[in-house]
Amino acid sequence: MTIITRFFNSTLGKKYIMAITGFLLFGFVIIHMLGNLQIFIGPAAINDYAEMLKSKAALLWGARLGLLVITILHIVTAIQLVLRNRAARPVKYGTGKAPVAASLTSRTAAISGTIILAFIIFHLLHYTIGGINPELLQLRDATGRHDVFQMMVQGFSNPLIAGFYLLAMALLCMHLSHGVSSMFQSLGLKSGAYDMVIDRVAKVAAGAIFLGNCAIVIAVLAGLVK
Ligand code: HEM
């Protein structure tokens, strides 16, 4: 076994993989939100943006593949860490003793992460693959291109679907505020003096993502974007 494979098989190495893949996914979520917020500029802006993203097939499929690999690495490594953590736990479930704080936060991250995964599958079926409301992918604007603006307006006009998005965004916010803070810890960048600042930055970033994404859903539900 080389020194590199030995490192990535160690618990520290796996925490590095979680931190780096988490950072890349966090970057995607911010860029995706900034792109989607163009719905507030108007149909032409968001439809132009969507058309531009899809205009270079090689870039689009490269980014999709990259995102898929990063997501799978993040999930598989998380499962491996949970299993290792469980194997190393001295107190078994059912003994009546409360779990230690660290395992409580990672259990919360595991639950929110699982629901976020369910959300991503639902979201892809809703807006990309067309398994849910396939007519949304057929919408065309006056210039004949995919009308992403109308797709979002019609998609979020269903209160049940909008409610699921809002719930998923609340869980994403929780997951990110824990994740960003533990990312700094895993990379050895949390060393006492700046701990409070790092935790606060993590909460503000996660809160901004929650507000930005929910603003889109709520604006449609309230009839402000139509
Ligand atoms: C309220 C929040 C969100 C809104 C309004 C939204 C909106 C959209 C829309 C409109 C598309 C289709 C774009 C197009 O066809 O041009 C899309 C695709 C996508 N979204 Fe979201 N999204 C949200 C949250 C998220 C989150 C939190 C994630 C990931 C954690 C995510 C991941 C994706 C992915 C992977 C795609 C597929 C991109 C592709 O390959 O075509 N979205 N989203």
Side-chain angles (χ1 to χ4, degrees), residues 13-32:
K14 292 198 182 297
K15 287 193 172 175
Y16 264 79
I17 296 178
M18 286 306 285
I20 294 163
T21 53
F23 176 75
L24 294 171
L25 290 170
F26 180 70
F28 166 77
V29 168
I30 292 189
I31 293 170
H32 188 48

Side-chain angles (χ1 to χ4, degrees), residues 75 93 106 116 118 134 179 184:
I75 295 169
Y93 285 126
S106 42
I116 292 164
F184 279 93

Side-chain angles (χ1 to χ4, degrees), residues 28-29 32 36 50 54 60 64 67 116 119-120 123-124 127-128 146 148 151-152 156 165 169 172 213 216-217:
F28 166 77
V29 168
H32 188 48
N36 287 331
K54 287 179 205 150
L60 175 70
R64 283 176 169 168
L67 208 52
I116 292 164
F119 162 77
I120 294 172
H123 183 50
L124 288 178
Y127 283 160
T128 306
H146 184 206
V148 175
M151 174 171 82
M152 288 208 256
F156 295 138
Y165 270 79
M169 290 312 115
L172 180 68
N213 279 337
I216 299 171
V217 181

